[in-house]
Amino acid sequence: AQRVTQPEKLLSVFKGAPVELKCNYSYSGSPELFWYVQYSRQRLQLLLRHISRESIKGFTADLNKGETSFHLKKPFAQEEDSAMYYCALSGQTDSWGKLQFGAGTQVVVTP
Amino acid sequence: GAGVSQSPSNKVTEKGKDVELRCDPISGHTALYWYRQSLGQGLEFLIYFQGNSAPDKSGLPSDRFSAERTGGSVSTLTIQRTQQEDSAVYLCASSLRRQAEAFFGQGTRLTVV
């Protein structure tokens, strides 16, 4: 079965400090990993996905198959990064690609 | 439409009543999801439709919950004999195909009093 674990419920960082959100997954196969973000009073939206290898809003995430991790990183946090972040996995065998989310990490960036 | 649309935005119902929540996905999207977001909780998977395949209902919390998707488009989530613990924000999402980006609606906030 597929599972996504985000061990931190809350991350509080100062503006300009680095931030790293941890995500570990359990899946036997080749999953697709995503990070979704929900800003206050806005819809949940895609931040980035591992196959695109992009940097979005300064965030990057590297898929480490050996450690089954997909941590999200940003070298210099900004106040506008305050939001709820969800790591998600889509498998190839379970339910034809069902999207499974972690519990989420609330990020608070203080000036 | 421009995105996934859900209705109503807010619903207050009395305990024991049935409710129907509607989701209009993005046209052409074959995958449709329902999730529940309770206060202080993450995203709880409820049900997943993919094309003409049998839906994955493994996340439905009880037999009071059911969902259907008519014509591969609009979906309705029905909760029978609502309970106070059903109070949550119900989110619908759709994607072009499996493993593609999911687009979320604004959610329906359900309050059972």
Coordinates of all heavy atoms in Angstrom, one line a residue, chain B residues 51-95:
Chain B
G51 N -11.9 7.4 -15.3 CA -12.5 7.0 -16.5 C -13.7 6.1 -16.3 O -14.6 6.4 -15.5
N52 N -13.7 5.0 -17.0 CA -14.8 4.1 -16.9 C -14.6 2.9 -15.9 O -15.4 2.0 -15.8 CB -15.2 3.5 -18.2 CG -15.7 4.5 -19.2 OD1 -16.4 5.4 -18.8 ND2 -15.2 4.4 -20.5
S53 N -13.4 3.0 -15.2 CA -13.1 2.0 -14.2 C -14.0 2.0 -13.0 O -14.5 3.1 -12.7 CB -11.6 2.1 -13.8 OG -10.8 2.0 -14.9
A54 N -14.1 0.9 -12.3 CA -14.8 0.9 -11.1 C -14.2 1.9 -10.1 O -12.9 1.9 -10.0 CB -14.9 -0.5 -10.5
P55 N -14.9 2.7 -9.4 CA -14.3 3.7 -8.5 C -13.6 3.0 -7.3 O -14.0 1.9 -6.9 CB -15.5 4.6 -8.0 CG -16.7 3.7 -8.2 CD -16.4 2.8 -9.4
D56 N -12.6 3.7 -6.8 CA -11.9 3.2 -5.6 C -12.7 3.9 -4.4 O -12.5 5.1 -4.2 CB -10.5 3.6 -5.6 CG -9.7 3.2 -4.4 OD1 -10.3 2.9 -3.3 OD2 -8.5 3.3 -4.4
K57 N -13.4 3.1 -3.7 CA -14.2 3.6 -2.6 C -13.6 3.4 -1.2 O -14.2 3.5 -0.2 CB -15.6 2.9 -2.6 CG -16.4 3.1 -3.9 CD -17.7 2.4 -3.8 CE -18.5 2.4 -5.1 NZ -19.8 1.7 -5.0
S58 N -12.3 3.0 -1.2 CA -11.7 2.5 0.0 C -11.6 3.5 1.1 O -11.4 3.2 2.3 CB -10.3 2.0 -0.3 OG -9.5 3.0 -0.9
G59 N -11.7 4.8 0.8 CA -11.6 5.9 1.8 C -12.9 6.3 2.4 O -13.0 7.1 3.4
L60 N -14.1 5.8 1.9 CA -15.4 6.2 2.5 C -15.5 5.7 3.9 O -15.3 4.5 4.2 CB -16.5 5.6 1.6 CG -16.6 6.2 0.2 CD1 -17.7 5.5 -0.5 CD2 -16.8 7.7 0.2
P61 N -15.7 6.6 4.9 CA -15.7 6.2 6.3 C -16.8 5.3 6.8 O -16.6 4.6 7.8 CB -15.7 7.6 7.0 CG -16.3 8.5 6.1 CD -16.0 8.0 4.7
S62 N -17.9 5.3 6.1 CA -19.0 4.4 6.5 C -20.0 4.3 5.3 O -19.8 5.0 4.3 CB -19.8 5.0 7.7 OG -20.6 6.1 7.3
D63 N -20.9 3.4 5.5 CA -21.9 3.2 4.4 C -22.9 4.3 4.3 O -23.8 4.3 3.4 CB -22.6 1.8 4.6 CG -23.3 1.7 5.9 OD1 -23.4 2.7 6.6 OD2 -23.8 0.6 6.2
R64 N -22.8 5.3 5.2 CA -23.6 6.5 5.0 C -23.1 7.4 3.9 O -23.8 8.2 3.4 CB -23.7 7.3 6.3 CG -24.3 6.6 7.5 CD -24.4 7.5 8.7 NE -23.1 7.9 9.2 CZ -22.6 9.2 9.0 NH1 -23.3 10.1 8.4 NH2 -21.5 9.5 9.6
F65 N -21.9 7.1 3.5 CA -21.3 7.9 2.4 C -21.3 7.2 1.1 O -21.0 6.0 1.0 CB -19.8 8.2 2.7 CG -19.6 9.2 3.8 CD1 -19.8 8.9 5.1 CD2 -19.1 10.5 3.5 CE1 -19.6 9.8 6.2 CE2 -18.9 11.4 4.5 CZ -19.2 11.0 5.9
S66 N -21.7 7.9 0.0 CA -21.7 7.3 -1.3 C -21.4 8.4 -2.3 O -21.6 9.6 -2.0 CB -23.0 6.6 -1.6 OG -24.1 7.6 -1.6
A67 N -20.9 8.0 -3.5 CA -20.7 9.0 -4.5 C -20.9 8.4 -5.9 O -20.8 7.2 -6.0 CB -19.3 9.5 -4.4
E68 N -21.3 9.2 -6.8 CA -21.4 8.8 -8.2 C -20.9 9.8 -9.1 O -20.8 11.0 -8.8 CB -22.9 8.4 -8.5 CG -23.9 9.6 -8.4 CD -25.3 9.2 -8.8 OE1 -25.6 8.0 -8.7 OE2 -26.1 10.1 -9.1
R69 N -20.6 9.4 -10.3 CA -20.1 10.3 -11.3 C -20.9 9.9 -12.6 O -20.7 8.9 -13.2 CB -18.6 10.1 -11.6 CG -18.1 11.2 -12.5 CD -16.6 11.1 -12.7 NE -16.1 12.2 -13.5 CZ -14.9 12.3 -14.0 NH1 -14.0 11.3 -13.8 NH2 -14.5 13.3 -14.7
T70 N -21.7 10.9 -13.0 CA -22.6 10.6 -14.2 C -21.9 11.1 -15.5 O -21.4 12.2 -15.5 CB -23.9 11.4 -14.0 OG1 -23.7 12.7 -13.7 CG2 -24.7 10.8 -12.8
G71 N -22.0 10.2 -16.4 CA -21.5 10.5 -17.8 C -20.0 10.9 -17.8 O -19.6 11.6 -18.7
G72 N -19.3 10.4 -16.8 CA -17.9 10.8 -16.7 C -17.6 12.2 -16.4 O -16.4 12.7 -16.7
S73 N -18.6 12.9 -15.9 CA -18.3 14.4 -15.7 C -18.7 14.7 -14.2 O -18.0 14.4 -13.3 CB -19.1 15.2 -16.7 OG -18.9 16.6 -16.5
V74 N -19.9 15.3 -14.0 CA -20.3 15.8 -12.7 C -20.4 14.6 -11.7 O -20.8 13.5 -12.0 CB -21.7 16.4 -12.8 CG1 -22.3 16.8 -11.5 CG2 -21.6 17.6 -13.7
S75 N -19.9 15.0 -10.5 CA -20.0 14.0 -9.4 C -20.8 14.5 -8.2 O -20.8 15.7 -8.0 CB -18.6 13.6 -9.0 OG -18.6 12.7 -7.9
T76 N -21.5 13.6 -7.6 CA -22.2 14.0 -6.4 C -21.8 13.1 -5.2 O -21.8 11.9 -5.4 CB -23.7 13.8 -6.6 OG1 -24.1 14.6 -7.7 CG2 -24.5 14.2 -5.4
L77 N -21.5 13.7 -4.1 CA -21.1 13.0 -2.9 C -22.4 13.1 -2.0 O -22.8 14.2 -1.7 CB -19.9 13.6 -2.2 CG -19.5 13.0 -0.9 CD1 -19.0 11.5 -1.1 CD2 -18.4 13.8 -0.2
T78 N -22.9 12.0 -1.5 CA -24.1 12.0 -0.7 C -23.7 11.4 0.7 O -23.0 10.4 0.8 CB -25.2 11.1 -1.3 OG1 -25.5 11.6 -2.6 CG2 -26.4 11.1 -0.4
I79 N -24.2 12.2 1.7 CA -24.0 11.7 3.1 C -25.4 11.5 3.7 O -26.2 12.5 3.7 CB -23.2 12.7 3.9 CG1 -21.9 13.0 3.2 CG2 -22.9 12.1 5.3 CD1 -21.1 14.1 3.9
Q80 N -25.7 10.3 4.0 CA -27.0 10.1 4.6 C -26.9 10.1 6.2 O -25.9 9.8 6.8 CB -27.5 8.7 4.2 CG -27.7 8.5 2.7 CD -28.1 7.1 2.3 OE1 -27.5 6.1 2.7 NE2 -29.2 7.0 1.6
R81 N -28.0 10.5 6.7 CA -28.2 10.6 8.2 C -26.9 11.2 8.8 O -26.2 10.6 9.6 CB -28.4 9.2 8.8 CG -29.5 8.4 8.1 CD -29.7 7.0 8.7 NE -28.5 6.2 8.5 CZ -28.2 5.6 7.4 NH1 -28.9 5.7 6.3 NH2 -27.1 4.8 7.3
T82 N -26.7 12.5 8.5 CA -25.4 13.1 8.9 C -25.3 13.1 10.4 O -26.2 13.2 11.2 CB -25.4 14.6 8.4 OG1 -26.6 15.2 8.8 CG2 -25.3 14.7 6.9
Q83 N -24.0 13.1 10.8 CA -23.6 13.1 12.2 C -22.7 14.3 12.4 O -22.1 14.9 11.4 CB -22.8 11.9 12.6 CG -23.6 10.6 12.3 CD -24.8 10.5 13.2 OE1 -24.8 10.7 14.4 NE2 -26.0 10.1 12.6
Q84 N -22.5 14.8 13.6 CA -21.7 15.9 13.9 C -20.2 15.7 13.4 O -19.6 16.7 13.0 CB -21.7 16.3 15.3 CG -23.1 16.9 15.7 CD -23.1 17.5 17.2 OE1 -22.4 16.9 18.0 NE2 -23.9 18.5 17.4
E85 N -19.7 14.5 13.5 CA -18.4 14.2 13.1 C -18.2 14.3 11.6 O -17.0 14.3 11.1 CB -17.9 12.9 13.6 CG -18.7 11.7 13.1 CD -19.8 11.2 14.1 OE1 -20.2 12.1 14.9 OE2 -20.1 10.0 14.0
D86 N -19.3 14.5 10.8 CA -19.2 14.6 9.4 C -18.8 16.1 9.0 O -18.5 16.4 7.9 CB -20.5 14.3 8.7 CG -20.9 12.8 8.9 OD1 -20.0 12.0 9.2 OD2 -22.1 12.5 8.8
S87 N -18.9 17.0 10.0 CA -18.6 18.4 9.8 C -17.1 18.5 9.3 O -16.2 18.0 10.0 CB -18.8 19.2 11.0 OG -20.1 19.2 11.4
A88 N -16.9 19.1 8.1 CA -15.6 19.2 7.5 C -15.7 20.0 6.3 O -16.8 20.4 5.8 CB -15.0 17.8 7.2
V89 N -14.6 20.3 5.6 CA -14.5 20.8 4.3 C -14.3 19.7 3.3 O -13.4 18.9 3.5 CB -13.4 21.9 4.1 CG1 -13.4 22.3 2.7 CG2 -13.6 23.0 5.0
Y90 N -15.2 19.5 2.4 CA -15.2 18.5 1.4 C -14.6 19.0 0.1 O -15.2 20.0 -0.5 CB -16.5 17.8 1.2 CG -16.9 17.0 2.4 CD1 -17.5 17.6 3.5 CD2 -16.7 15.6 2.5 CE1 -17.8 16.9 4.6 CE2 -17.1 14.9 3.6 CZ -17.6 15.5 4.7 OH -17.9 14.8 5.8
L91 N -13.5 18.5 -0.3 CA -12.8 18.9 -1.5 C -12.9 18.0 -2.6 O -12.8 16.8 -2.5 CB -11.3 19.1 -1.2 CG -10.9 20.2 -0.2 CD1 -9.4 20.2 0.1 CD2 -11.3 21.6 -0.7
C92 N -13.1 18.5 -3.8 CA -13.1 17.7 -5.0 C -12.0 18.2 -5.9 O -11.6 19.4 -5.9 CB -14.5 18.0 -5.8 SG -14.6 17.2 -7.4
A93 N -11.4 17.2 -6.6 CA -10.3 17.6 -7.5 C -10.4 16.7 -8.8 O -11.0 15.6 -8.8 CB -8.9 17.3 -6.9
S94 N -9.9 17.2 -9.9 CA -9.9 16.5 -11.1 C -8.5 16.6 -11.8 O -7.8 17.5 -11.5 CB -11.0 16.9 -12.1 OG -10.7 18.2 -12.6
S95 N -8.2 15.6 -12.6 CA -6.9 15.6 -13.3 C -7.2 15.0 -14.7 O -8.1 14.2 -14.9 CB -5.8 14.9 -12.6 OG -6.1 13.5 -12.5

